Amino acid sequence: VSDYLAIQSHTGKYAVEFINEAAPEIHDYDQGTTHFIVDNKIIELYENLFKGKIGSYSILALNAIEGNKSLEKIPEYIDFLLRNNIRRDHRLVAVGGGIIQDITCFISATLMRGINWEYYPTTLLAQADSCIGSKSSINCGKVKNIIGTFTPPQKVVLYVKFLKTLEAGDLKSGIGEIIKVHIINGQDSFKQLSKDYFRLFSDHCLLLKYIRKSLEIKKRYIEMDEFDRGERRIFNYGHTFGHAIESSTDFMIPHGIAVTIGMDMANFIAMSLGRISRSDYLRIKALLAENYSEYAKYPIPVDRFITALARDKKNKGGNINSVLLNDRCEAELHSLNNNRELEDKCISYFNNERHI
Ligand SMILES: NC(=O)c1ccc[n+]([C@@H]2O[C@H](COP(=O)([O-])OP(=O)(O)OC[C@H]3O[C@@H](n4cnc5c(N)ncnc54)[C@H](O)[C@@H]3O)[C@@H](O)[C@H]2O)c1
Ligand SMILES: [Zn+2]
């Protein structure tokens, strides 16, 4: 492999291998010791991936829906793997987006106290963001991502051409996370991305450059703070509000789009606290609003949003741990007082700010 990025984790180093031309050779894995967990849509769209050997592998094929990423479903998957004679020295291979990743990573952490796993991310969100960072997140009951582990893979293989079949909404969802890391990296990165934004939809070479850059930025933080107790928390930019938007709309808005709206909300609050100027708020909004344009009018029930915001698992006491921009437009951790004033600002945002 000519091009790769090495990631240091608490269990050792693993590589993200970039392959650009030929499709990944997943039909080459040993049949006796490999168990695939694959998105059904990938099996349908990329018939050739297994080179006709599909019947001879242990393949758990799943629909990528949130309901399948729940604790209640795990026994079914374990049962399948046991019937296929999985052992602790075997290997799990995930092929799909963040849902397939989370399921595989969680099973890898827990089944027989640990089975190695490898990952072929097929969505932009997974390629540019979630494929590194070790996290697994599983839903329990109605609560999303409430159970999880830190379990790095043995390797990640990134084939950018998977993205050709992605729907526009899923592409924009991934771009939302790319925007996030570029704002975290500083305003020069953000300005360059703003210039290149529209070309990302047609130029796969450019998109790959941004995927790689996003992973390089994230690498610095996860290597400093893999367990998300310190510096890495800056990556929650847009997520405090984004998670509340997702849960108050029953997850009808794709994650990265909710994060895009969440960043715009955080910036609105930063402006109302006098941290950033109105002109900076509007300048950054120009790109964010373009990225969430299909959801600018999507109804978000404010009362449900406020309840969800207060319940965010990352909050302590009456405060909401958030990330806001400062006067140099740098992302910083900031504890927001969860009071009436904050509620009013959220209401004012939903009523007046999404359509600009
Ligand atoms: N563990 C983490 O660090 C982490 C980080 C962010 C998000 N997540 C989780 O990831 C999930 C969202 O993941 P996601 O947006 O990557 O994808 P997803 O797995 O939800 O898939 C989104 C859609 O794209 C389809 N799809 C996947 N690959 C495709 C392809 N190449 N062509 C066409 N369609 C394709 C899927 O079938 C699905 O319909 C959420 O559950 C979120 O909580 C986890
Ligand atoms: Zn995210």
Side-chain angles (χ1 to χ4, degrees):
V1 176
S2 56
D3 191 18
Y4 72 96
L5 186 68
I7 310 288
Q8 184 66 52
S9 79
H10 71 286
T11 59
K13 259 197 180 140
Y14 61 95
V16 181
E17 300 176 355
F18 296 88
I19 54 173
N20 301 333
E21 292 310 321
E25 304 200 321
I26 66 178
H27 52 276
D28 272 356
Y29 280 98
D30 177 63
Q31 294 176 4
T33 58
T34 310
H35 305 266
F36 288 96
I37 303 184
V38 189
D39 183 338
N40 265 323
K41 204 180 249 173
I42 294 297
I43 295 180
E44 202 178 287
L45 289 169
Y46 298 87
E47 280 178 344
N48 225 5
L49 213 53
F50 288 90
K51 292 248 157 70
K53 295 187 193 162
I54 210 155
S56 47
Y57 274 111
S58 161
I59 302 178
L60 177 59
L62 301 173
N63 292 331
I65 51 171
E66 282 293 326
N68 278 343
K69 200 188 91 166
S70 61
L71 189 63
E72 295 80 358
K73 287 276 185 179
I74 299 292
E76 235 176 78
Y77 309 152
I78 305 276
D79 190 48
F80 174 89
L81 293 167
L82 291 177
R83 274 189 281 117
N84 283 288
N85 301 317
I86 192 164
R87 291 207 324 241
R88 57 191 298 187
D89 58 347
H90 287 186
R91 173 202 283 130
L92 293 167
V93 178
V95 189
I99 290 184
I100 300 297
Q101 172 187 348
D102 276 339
I103 295 168
T104 311
C105 184
F106 184 74
I107 294 176
S108 143
T110 50
L111 183 58
M112 297 166 185
R113 292 184 201 83
I115 290 178
N116 288 343
W117 76 290
E118 298 179 4
Y119 185 33
Y120 292 75
T122 64
T123 61
L124 181 57
L125 186 112
Q127 292 196 350
D129 180 32
S130 69
C131 71
I132 62 170
S134 312
K135 286 185 187 174
S136 71
S137 310
I138 293 288
N139 311 328
C140 183
K142 286 201 168 109
V143 192
K144 201 179 129 104
N145 288 350
I146 197 68
I147 292 175
T149 64
F150 288 97
T151 317
Q154 256 55 48
K155 82 173 178 187
V156 177
V157 181
L158 200 149
Y159 178 55
V160 75
K161 287 185 180 160
F162 273 133
L163 306 183
K164 284 194 168 155
T165 50
L166 216 54
E167 281 178 20
D170 288 315
L171 209 55
K172 281 190 154 185
S173 178
I175 292 177
E177 297 281 9
I178 291 179
I179 297 174
K180 180 196 76 179
V181 289
H182 280 73
I183 292 180
I184 290 170
N185 201 44
Q187 284 301 302
D188 289 346
S189 294
F190 174 75
K191 284 173 190 162
Q192 189 60 47
L193 172 59
S194 299
K195 276 192 209 141
D196 290 335
Y197 178 81
F198 287 104
R199 277 205 293 141
L200 292 177
F201 297 88
S202 54
D203 183 343
H204 267 74
C205 250
L206 184 70
L207 186 58
L208 182 58
K209 251 180 67 188
Y210 274 96
I211 291 170
R212 199 188 163 121
K213 178 83 185 165
S214 300
L215 294 177
E216 281 167 358
I217 298 167
K218 183 169 176 179
K219 167 186 156 82
R220 289 208 307 270
Y221 287 85
I222 60 180
E223 288 186 345
M224 268 191 284
D225 176 29
E226 188 176 356
F227 298 116
D228 207 11
R229 303 280 164 184
E231 294 91 339
R232 182 176 176 177
R233 289 176 299 163
I234 209 84
F235 277 72
N236 281 327
Y237 179 44
H239 281 63
T240 317
F241 299 110
H243 286 148
I245 291 169
E246 285 184 281
S247 81
S248 61
T249 53
D250 297 317
F251 300 94
M252 295 306 284
I253 303 182
H255 174 73
I257 305 281
V259 169
T260 310
I261 303 173
M263 289 188 278
D264 195 35
M265 272 192 97
N267 295 349
F268 176 71
I269 285 163
M271 174 180 73
S272 67
L273 293 171
R275 294 169 62 94
I276 62 170
S277 66
R278 182 156 182 88
S279 71
D280 277 332
Y281 165 65
L282 292 174
R283 174 177 61 82
I284 298 169
K285 181 195 270 299
L287 182 65
L288 297 176
E290 186 59 51
N291 201 56
Y292 67 64
S293 58
E294 282 82 3
Y295 292 87
K297 297 210 166 89
Y298 197 93
I300 299 173
V302 182
D303 45 341
R304 286 186 66 189
F305 172 87
I306 302 280
T307 316
L309 192 64
R311 233 190 262 137
D312 192 289
K313 64 178 176 289
K314 295 193 173 95
N315 296 329
K316 289 203 188 92
N319 286 337
I320 293 176
N321 289 328
S322 181
V323 175
L324 297 183
L325 299 185
N326 65 17
D327 58 348
R328 279 160 292 158
C329 293
E330 298 159 340
E332 272 181 2
L333 295 176
H334 183 88
S335 175
L336 277 170
N337 207 325
N338 187 14
N339 56 18
R340 192 57 217 260
E341 212 177 309
L342 180 66
E343 274 182 32
D344 288 343
K345 282 174 191 158
C346 293
I347 294 169
S348 158
Y349 175 84
F350 287 130
N351 289 339
N352 310 313
E353 297 294 324
R354 268 196 304 158
H355 314 298
I356 292 178

